[in-house]
Amino acid sequence: MRHTSHLTKAPLALPLCTMTRKLVVAFFSVLSLVTGTASHVYHIPAAVGNDSSAALFTSAAADLDGAKIRPVNATAYDWWYFDVVSTDPDSLASVVVVFYTATPGGFPFLPPSDSVTVAQIFVSFPNGTTFNATANADDATVITDNNVSSGEWVGSGLSWNHTGFNYAVVVDAPDIGVQGTISFNPIAPAHYPCGPAEAGQNMQVGPGIGWSNAIPDAVSSIELTVGGTLLSFTGAGYHDKNWSNQPFTSNVGSWYWGHGRLGPYSFVWFDYLALDGTEFVSGYAAKYGTIISASCESGSISVRPTGKNAIFPPVLSTGNPSGYHITFNLEQAGTLEMDVSVLGILVDSAPYTRFVGNISGVIVPAGNSTPRNVLQGTALYEQFKLTN
Ligand SMILES: *[C@@H]1O[C@H](CO)[C@@H](O)[C@H](O)[C@H]1NC(C)=O
Ligand SMILES: *[C@@H]1O[C@H](CO)[C@@H](O)[C@H](O)[C@H]1NC(C)=O
Ligand SMILES: *[C@@H]1O[C@H](CO)[C@@H](O)[C@H](O)[C@H]1NC(C)=O
Ligand SMILES: *[C@@H]1O[C@H](CO)[C@@H](O)[C@H](O)[C@H]1NC(C)=O
Ligand SMILES: *[C@@H]1O[C@H](CO)[C@@H](O)[C@H](O)[C@H]1NC(C)=O
Ligand SMILES: *[C@@H]1O[C@H](CO)[C@@H](O)[C@H](O)[C@H]1NC(C)=O
Ligand SMILES: *[C@@H]1O[C@H](CO)[C@@H](O)[C@H](O)[C@H]1NC(C)=O
Ligand SMILES: *[C@@H]1O[C@H](CO)[C@@H](O)[C@H](O)[C@H]1NC(C)=O
């Protein structure tokens, strides 16, 4: 983030020299006020930042998907995360792409590297076979246009762009054997941990953990060639970003996160424990593309392990559970009771597991106990366990 400029049509800024850019910035900043549009260009060097990292934790009127840490020092992290899970419960297909500006000092699950700008891709085929690869970039550029963004991890072959609200992750990385496109057509509005995308919101899902969710749910299609094998599927797509100017492990004891689609509902869950055992939650549900609940209030959502290893809170030595039971308070719409069960494991280590799963759920109407329809869907979800 050596240069941050305010431009209405950001791509213009790229070829300009610094001198010219300053003049253009002055001009377009005025124009921004007039048109109400906002665009920023963030250049993030691959070299680790040497100064203290400033973090943005209160939302502005734009830039929901912009960079939030400046500079990215050796104990900070800021990344853009994309995933898609197949909506066919008989398929274990998924893809996860993460564009990091982080080092292992900020996020210890990164492979050892002295580059801040790293992209990772994880894939699972319909039969559950997994693949992953990491690519270092020479540097990174993120350009925002109001609340949406484009990004290029220069030299890695991985980038994303947007057309209106639709996003596409483009992979052209023969070095790691992956080529193709992942598209996201959003069907649920963006939000922050405690509510909809509004200016002045607290963007911390818990102390020192920034989170904005540009795409809680999208109709996604994947056309990738992975090591010579075609991976083609449609599913529920998701995109968020996480950041902090403090190491991840300084603020997290354990956590459960996931997203999925169940009939007309799109939802995202978070339930985690800080190191001192304090529980923080964030629940989001949209129905037919309208937010029906977005809250970080205690009790708005609860996620607990079920089946084998159903130990709460989990510690490093706790095995993976069979699933989770999620109780989601939808306010006037009642309560959503969901059971998520593991269909496949995408990443598995002692501190971190990522799953694809099967969800079945019922809406229990407020003050009503009449029989409800059981809804079925799929989810992609994760858990961290960081304490002994
Ligand atoms: C931080 O300092 C090191 C050593 O002087 C230097 O190589 C690196 O480029 C610096 N980082 C940035 C982002 O300037
Ligand atoms: C990075 O910045 C944060 C916030 O200012 C500071 O607390 C931390 O010590 C810095 N890390 C390094 C390695 O300098
Ligand atoms: C998903 O869960 C439902 C209900 O628990 C079950 O009927 C269905 O067979 C499951 N599908 C798979 C692929 O496990
Ligand atoms: C699973 O699918 C992958 C990709 O199509 C294929 O390479 C692999 O051989 C399959 N594994 C099994 C056990 O069928
Ligand atoms: C943007 O994404 C589309 C895929 O939807 C791709 O065809 C196009 O080349 C991308 N544009 C850039 C500039 O990368
Ligand atoms: C962008 O998000 C902000 C909240 O951070 C919100 O106030 C604003 O209305 C959004 N802008 C657009 C164009 O959606
Ligand atoms: C953090 O990032 C991961 C992806 O690495 C994502 O699954 C999760 O939703 C994010 N959560 C927060 C609180 O930042
Ligand atoms: C990535 O794949 C390698 C095998 O190529 C495997 O050893 C490693 O555990 C995988 N990493 C993750 C995070 O799943």
Side-chain angles (χ1 to χ4, degrees), residues 42-351:
Y42 300 93
H43 290 289
I44 303 129
V48 177
N50 295 310
D51 299 323
S52 70
S53 294
L56 198 61
F57 284 134
T58 303
S59 66
D63 252 20
L64 182 138
D65 212 18
K68 302 290 198 291
I69 296 291
R70 179 190 189 149
V72 179
N73 76 12
T75 49
Y77 61 92
D78 194 5
W79 69 71
W80 288 257
Y81 169 93
F82 296 84
D83 79 42
V84 184
V85 57
S86 173
T87 34
D88 173 0
D90 293 323
S91 167
L92 300 178
S94 73
V95 61
V96 170
V97 181
V98 192
F99 294 88
Y100 289 99
T101 64
T103 63
F107 190 65
F109 308 102
L110 278 172
S113 166
D114 52 10
S115 173
V116 166
T117 51
V118 176
Q120 273 190 314
I121 182 163
F122 300 80
V123 154
S124 58
F125 289 96
N127 66 4
T129 296
T130 59
F131 165 93
N132 71 76
T134 303
N136 282 357
D138 300 331
D139 58 33
T141 303
V142 173
I143 300 169
T144 58
D145 179 0
N146 276 318
N147 291 329
V148 295
S149 70
S150 301
E152 186 179 6
W153 265 230
V154 178
S156 73
L158 285 96
S159 64
W160 78 87
N161 69 41
H162 75 91
T163 308
F165 291 103
N166 294 340
Y167 278 59
V169 170
V170 180
V171 187
D172 183 9
D175 288 357
I176 56 168
V178 188
Q179 273 172 306
T181 303
I182 307 161
S183 68
F184 298 82
N185 299 322
I187 58 166
H191 70 111
Y192 291 116
C194 299
E198 289 165 358
Q201 290 258 320
N202 180 5
M203 296 191 287
Q204 291 170 98
V205 70
I209 300 178
W211 183 50
S212 66
N213 190 183
I215 306 182
D217 194 8
V219 172
S220 282
S221 40
I222 290 79
E223 291 291 335
L224 284 179
T225 308
V226 180
T229 303
L230 182 66
L231 176 65
S232 172
F233 69 98
T234 57
Y238 175 92
H239 162 49
D240 71 6
K241 74 183 307 311
N242 316 64
W243 66 93
S244 185
N245 58 352
Q246 298 158 30
F248 185 81
T249 47
S250 300
N251 289 308
V252 179
S254 65
W255 100 12
Y256 304 130
W257 163 87
H259 77 91
R261 197 186 303 154
L262 192 66
Y265 298 93
S266 301
F267 55 86
V268 182
W269 73 81
F270 245 118
D271 189 335
Y272 88 93
L273 299 175
L275 286 172
D276 67 2
T278 311
E279 185 170 16
F280 294 93
V281 299
S282 175
Y284 170 93
K287 185 181 185 185
Y288 295 119
T290 300
I291 296 178
I292 53 173
S293 179
S295 173
C296 61
E297 267 172 50
S298 168
S300 59
I301 189 165
S302 151
V303 183
R304 292 293 181 268
T306 55
K308 70 175 164 91
N309 303 313
I311 293 160
F312 187 84
V315 293
L316 266 167
S317 60
T318 312
N320 292 325
S322 311
Y324 300 95
H325 184 81
I326 302 173
T327 301
F328 200 152
N329 180 352
L330 299 181
E331 295 159 42
Q332 300 95 316
T335 306
L336 176 56
E337 297 283 353
M338 292 191 284
D339 279 297
V340 184
S341 51
V342 178
L343 293 178
I345 293 186
L346 306 175
V347 176
D348 199 14
S349 67

